[in-house]
Amino acid sequence: MLGDIRLQQPDASAELAESNAALAELFREQRLPLQQFLLGMLRNRAEADDALQQVFLKLVENWATLRLDTAKSWLFTVAYHEAMAARRRRFRQESALAELWSRPVWQSQASPPDAAERREEIEIVRSSLDALPAAQREVVERRMFRNQTFQTIANELGCPLGTVLTRMRLALKTLGELLEE
Amino acid sequence: MSEERDELDLLAFRYVAGELTPAEAAAFEPRLADDQAAQVAVSRAVGLSQRLASAAPPADQAAPARKSALVWAQPLGWMAIGAASAVLAVNLFWRPAADRNASPATNVQPAGGSPVDALVWARLQSEQEWTAADLEDWLDQPESPDDSEEPPPAPEVPSWVFATKRPSKGGVNP
């Protein structure tokens, strides 16, 4: 009897270790995408981090019943509901929502990395921008660096809004490919 | 398929940029509850926009015409200029005689400790244009760089993650 227990213990321990490893891997893999997703919805770093913590707490609470193959989509669904709950807590008025929509998400970014990393990152991003056709680069720079709306860009360039959006779409595609490499 | 993804990426970018109309946002946002492609697109748009924003040139290059138009038009601009004049007057006429004989090079530091004095001095030294926004920025600055922002969260898996219940591979998602 005692022998049976001793034999079973290593199995249980191994199972727990395996489970913890899977949980840790899921955390590492999904932390950044979830954080970005929450930031996209909340436009506020502190609230996004709070919501992210809630998401992972729920992950831990439900870990015993979760299926690994659908855990990622489960996490995003929970994140969506956490973000909506956070917004309900924060915004009670229509005007406040209007302010939310008017604020680009990148104004809520975290503190920058150290100087060397930052220089390297800037170099990579600028070389990617340089790889864009001039017309696309101009739209990206005006939108990101001068904070002009797409409509303003269209007005100033004297072209239809659809043209500006098409250029941005093509630029996003190229930048996504270059920066994900 | 790829074109659909590109359109979704643009939609997500416009969403995170705050450029969807309320109607568009109201139509797009519910998709984020269960549309995995839309969820990933938003996450990707935030990541990309943050990386692009990190490479923004200095504000002067990005918006060269902003400062000059504002300085004379705002009350704070005039207040700042008044403060500069007052500090100059103090320095010129109220200093002890012995100090007046000292060479200018010995008086490179502002005498007072207040932020406004320091700003006045810094601006006089650099001969930069002085806007009301600059004054506001200066006064809004924290006392030390340590106060400015929390450090980014560590990438390690926190220990509470492992304070979990018994694992199971065969469970069912809610």
Side-chain angles (χ1 to χ4, degrees):
Chain A
M1 188 66 176
L2 189 60
D4 290 345
I5 293 171
R6 280 179 183 160
L7 282 175
Q8 283 170 10
Q9 259 184 334
D11 286 346
S13 171
E15 195 182 341
L16 183 62
E18 190 183 336
S19 169
N20 281 349
L23 183 58
E25 188 177 345
L26 189 63
F27 180 91
R28 285 196 200 94
E29 272 181 4
Q30 298 305 322
R31 181 179 166 275
L32 182 60
L34 280 168
Q35 191 178 41
Q36 291 170 340
F37 175 71
L38 287 164
L39 194 51
M41 290 194 69
L42 290 168
R43 272 65 163 181
N44 179 291
R45 166 69 59 174
E47 285 185 345
D49 285 346
D50 285 348
L52 182 65
Q53 187 162 359
Q54 289 303 314
V55 171
F56 280 119
L57 279 171
K58 288 190 174 167
L59 171 67
V60 168
E61 285 169 6
N62 291 279
W63 184 236
T65 56
L66 276 176
R67 279 172 42 198
L68 275 178
D69 56 343
T70 54
K72 180 183 168 187
S73 62
W74 182 88
L75 279 170
F76 273 88
T77 300
V78 172
Y80 171 83
H81 290 295
E82 283 297 326
M84 295 303 280
R87 288 229 308 245
R88 277 194 296 273
R89 284 193 294 272
R90 184 166 36 130
F91 294 105
R92 304 287 179 203
Q93 295 177 352
E94 198 75 16
S95 59
L97 270 175
E99 185 189 337
L100 174 80
W101 298 128
S102 68
R103 185 178 181 193
V105 69
W106 50 87
Q107 289 179 359
S108 292
Q109 65 183 312
S111 56
D114 69 49
E117 282 179 14
R118 188 169 153 73
R119 274 196 299 275
E120 187 181 354
E121 171 70 3
I122 289 172
E123 196 58 40
I124 291 169
V125 174
R126 288 198 177 148
S127 61
S128 300
L129 282 171
D130 288 342
L132 294 175
Q136 292 175 27
R137 186 168 61 245
E138 176 154 32
V139 171
V140 173
E141 288 179 346
R142 281 172 178 263
R143 185 63 193 89
M144 295 300 305
F145 301 157
R146 292 160 70 173
N147 209 25
Q148 294 182 325
T149 64
F150 289 123
Q151 187 60 62
T152 302
I153 296 168
N155 294 344
E156 290 197 3
L157 296 180
C159 60
L161 176 61
T163 303
V164 170
L165 291 176
T166 298
R167 288 175 188 171
M168 190 69 195
R169 178 169 59 81
L170 295 171
L172 287 174
K173 180 182 166 76
T174 306
L175 288 170
E177 289 166 357
L178 290 173
L179 292 172
E180 281 170 17
E181 275 175 359
Chain B
M1 187 66 185
S2 174
E3 195 162 325
E4 277 177 30
R5 180 186 146 158
D6 296 345
E7 285 295 338
L8 186 57
D9 279 343
L10 178 63
L11 191 61
F13 184 87
R14 291 176 61 217
Y15 172 72
V16 302
E19 284 223 36
L20 291 184
T21 64
E24 286 174 322
F28 178 69
E29 200 158 57
R31 291 177 61 183
L32 298 177
D34 51 14
D35 182 340
Q36 204 169 346
Q39 293 165 344
V40 171
V42 166
S43 179
R44 201 166 42 228
V46 171
L48 182 59
S49 61
Q50 286 186 324
R51 293 189 72 179
L52 288 172
S54 73
D60 289 355
Q61 283 174 252
R66 186 185 67 87
K67 281 188 170 185
S68 58
L70 292 176
V71 66
W72 304 110
Q74 297 186 23
L76 270 176
W78 285 106
M79 286 168 61
I81 291 161
S85 305
V87 170
L88 260 182
V90 167
N91 278 335
L92 287 175
F93 299 111
W94 287 11
R95 276 184 305 172
D99 281 352
R100 286 184 202 167
N101 294 332
S103 70
T106 62
N107 292 318
V108 293
Q109 292 298 322
S114 81
V116 174
D117 284 354
L119 175 61
V120 169
W121 184 262
R123 289 295 171 175
L124 288 173
Q125 291 288 91
S126 65
E127 295 182 353
Q128 287 177 0
E129 198 170 12
W130 190 3
T131 69
D134 289 340
L135 182 60
E136 286 171 313
D137 287 348
W138 177 276
L139 294 174
D140 284 342
Q141 277 178 9
E143 288 297 317
S144 73
D146 293 336
D147 299 335
S148 60
E149 205 163 349
E150 294 278 325
E156 291 82 22
V157 182
S159 57
W160 57 260
V161 167
F162 297 114
T164 180
K165 297 174 185 172
R166 181 108 180 114
S168 166
K169 289 179 184 172
V172 179
N173 284 352

